[in-house]
Amino acid sequence: MRLANAVNQSFTRYRDTTIPWAMLFWVFFRQYVYCPDDVSLAAGDEVVVTKAGKSTYGLDRFFASLYGKPVPGLAFFTVPLVSVQQRRSFPMRVEQVVRSDAEKAVSKAKAAAKKRTGSHAKRRPGRPKGSTHTTKVTPTLTPELSRIQAMLEAMLHLLAKVLPVTSLVLDGHFGNHNALYMARQCHLHLIAKLRCDAALYFPSTGPYAGRGPHRTYGRKVDDDNIPVQYLKETTVEGHIQTRLYQAHLLHKEFAQPLHVVVIAKTNLHTQARAHVLLFSSDLELAYAQLVDDYRLRFQIEFNFRDAKQYWGLEDFMNVTPTGVTNAANLALFMVNVSYRLQAHVRPRDPDYSVLDLKADCRGYKYVEETIKMLPEKPEPVLLRQILNKVAGLGRIHASQPSFSFS
């Protein structure tokens, strides 16, 4: 409780002071969360905070999945460590997304080009007449990927020789060859999702024709008719059948083979089908672990939910660059602090929530300030009873705390 109160008081005092948040995140994680036997994944995602007005630093229009459209607000990219054993995500670096004028111009040009392409008639199948073979060139990182790469390299530098991280988990927005190249530059294997209509090919296994280059691409993958030798697992829950396929496949935009897991779902009543394509650059990764690692990526969404609902990420009124940075970092830092404090209580109080934690913090603070006004301090036993009673007044769950942080 003293730690939570001290953090809030320090932020109020140093709101416009530059704070080394990346080091604070790491020191707290190393001291209170890190477990030597744990396996951690690096992840990344962007959170959008809606804002009105015109004076907040970095205010722009960003796409928000909750609204399904671009909204005015602020965007922050977060790189957390995801604990495989604890099944939790711990934010480690938070940076505001501020797009330059050149970046905005490129985005508008791409959108205009997509509209022009969509309005034209589809070209005939096959290679256009007169086209020649071109080798795959080294991808050029977009400003977004360059920003993420810098965050990853800085975090990995802090983790060096303490916590080995080998995989980076990103969502479907980064299921492309540029993101894969960025991850490999950081010596990480990428785990992400491909588009459901991605053109994948089996490696060619046919005989050499005797002339010309060896054929690379074999038969195109039909997601509804994958050969049975690639089937790894079949489960049925209710009327939904789920099949998992695993294969090393090729994509013409990627310079290396991909380890692909196809999750195919079938409605046994209507025979309707849907599928998801997960992939990794690690060709030795087991299919079950790949699926589980990608599922763990969603834990960062709970970080964003808690930061908005409980710690002011959606409500701060700071407008200066330093103030905005401090407010966003504090909100996600408090997510880590609250998790550690809850973990201390939950073995004896499983329903202990963030609202209960905040009620305890306020109760203890009120009691401490009241006790200072008394001419004589109460006996320790009575003081503990007062602390527990007042701290429990604002709690959601009725169970009384049986501890004291004084």
Side-chain angles (χ1 to χ4, degrees):
M1 298 303 173
R2 288 182 180 273
L3 176 61
N5 289 330
V7 171
N8 285 323
Q9 291 175 2
S10 298
F11 176 70
T12 302
R13 185 179 303 174
Y14 302 109
R15 180 166 43 198
D16 294 322
T17 302
T18 301
I19 300 174
W21 284 108
M23 184 60 68
L24 288 178
F25 276 106
W26 167 237
V27 170
F28 181 85
F29 180 87
R30 174 78 181 272
Q31 183 69 28
Y32 297 105
V33 179
Y34 171 66
C35 178
D37 298 329
D38 202 352
V39 177
S40 295
L41 309 169
D45 204 356
E46 185 176 282
V47 58
V48 176
V49 179
T50 56
K51 289 293 177 185
K54 299 180 180 179
S55 58
T56 305
Y57 175 75
L59 188 66
D60 203 344
R61 295 187 68 84
F62 298 95
F63 180 82
S65 57
L66 289 176
Y67 299 93
K69 62 180 181 180
V71 296
L74 308 177
F76 300 93
F77 195 88
T78 303
V79 176
L81 286 176
V82 182
S83 169
V84 175
Q85 276 71 22
Q86 299 182 54
R87 318 294 292 179
R88 287 280 307 192
S89 170
F90 301 96
M92 296 297 293
R93 296 189 73 90
V94 182
E95 289 190 9
Q96 186 178 6
V97 178
V98 181
R99 295 184 296 186
S100 63
D101 293 338
E103 198 172 346
K104 294 178 184 178
V106 171
S107 179
K108 290 181 180 179
K110 285 184 177 180
K114 186 179 293 186
K115 287 184 179 180
R116 289 196 300 270
T117 303
S119 61
H120 293 170
K122 292 183 64 175
R123 69 176 182 86
R124 296 174 58 187
R127 172 177 283 189
K129 187 176 181 180
S131 64
T132 58
H133 176 74
T134 57
T135 57
K136 292 183 174 66
V137 298
T138 302
T140 301
L141 297 184
T142 63
E144 179 186 32
L145 291 176
S146 298
R147 183 166 51 242
I148 297 172
Q149 185 182 43
M151 295 177 67
L152 287 171
E153 290 176 345
M155 185 185 74
L156 293 174
H157 179 71
L158 283 178
L159 305 182
K161 300 181 180 179
V162 177
L163 179 62
V165 177
T166 58
S167 298
L168 171 65
V169 189
L170 299 173
D171 60 14
H173 175 69
F174 298 97
N176 53 67
H177 65 295
N178 288 334
L180 177 59
Y181 176 76
M182 180 272 295
R184 297 306 296 145
Q185 288 292 102
C186 297
H187 306 289
L188 296 172
H189 285 293
L190 177 64
I191 298 175
K193 182 171 69 172
L194 291 167
R195 288 170 54 105
C196 62
D197 58 350
L200 297 170
Y201 298 85
F202 293 104
S204 177
T205 56
Y208 179 53
R211 63 181 185 277
H214 289 267
R215 188 172 183 179
T216 303
Y217 301 99
R219 182 167 54 89
K220 188 175 180 179
V221 177
D222 181 359
D223 298 305
D224 293 328
N225 296 284
I226 301 177
V228 69
Q229 63 262 33
Y230 298 107
L231 179 63
K232 296 298 180 181
E233 181 180 322
T234 302
T235 58
V236 178
E237 293 184 7
H239 60 280
I240 301 299
Q241 181 190 68
T242 303
R243 291 186 173 182
L244 270 64
Y245 299 87
Q246 177 189 19
H248 294 168
L249 304 176
L250 303 176
H251 192 292
K252 293 186 177 180
E253 291 186 0
F254 289 81
Q256 69 170 76
L258 301 178
H259 177 195
V260 179
V261 173
V262 182
I263 305 176
K265 292 183 177 290
T266 304
N267 188 317
L268 299 178
H269 292 170
T270 64
Q271 296 304 310
R273 296 179 177 179
H275 64 272
V276 174
L277 304 177
L278 305 181
F279 79 94
S280 173
S281 56
D282 185 359
L283 301 181
E284 303 299 325
L285 189 65
Y287 76 94
Q289 184 177 347
L290 192 157
V291 174
D292 187 62
D293 289 349
Y294 188 79
R295 285 173 177 167
L296 282 174
R297 188 205 68 81
F298 195 78
Q299 292 297 319
I300 193 175
E301 302 294 343
F302 298 125
N303 296 154
F304 296 153
R305 178 202 63 187
D306 290 349
K308 288 183 175 182
Q309 184 173 351
Y310 303 119
W311 305 115
L313 183 60
E314 189 75 39
D315 308 317
F316 68 86
M317 304 298 290
N318 308 57
V319 296
T320 62
T322 303
V324 170
T325 298
N326 288 344
N329 278 271
L330 176 67
L332 287 158
F333 182 73
M334 288 303 299
V335 170
N336 291 348
V337 173
S338 63
Y339 169 76
R340 182 62 186 87
L341 294 176
Q342 286 177 275
H344 179 74
V345 180
R346 278 187 169 171
R348 55 180 173 271
D349 192 354
D351 295 329
Y352 194 74
S353 67
V354 177
L355 291 177
D356 297 327
L357 173 65
K358 296 179 74 173
D360 285 345
C361 286
R362 283 192 294 267
Y364 279 105
K365 183 63 177 176
Y366 296 158
V367 171
E368 286 180 354
E369 294 301 321
T370 304
I371 294 299
K372 292 177 182 178
M373 300 172 61
L374 298 178
E376 294 184 7
K377 191 174 182 180
E379 294 294 329
V381 175
L382 177 60
L383 179 58
R384 177 168 297 186
Q385 292 178 354
I386 295 173
L387 286 170
N388 289 340
K389 183 65 175 178
V390 175
L393 292 177
R395 290 188 58 178
I396 300 301
H397 299 96
S399 59
Q400 297 295 325
S402 58
F403 59 92
S404 174
F405 287 95
S406 58

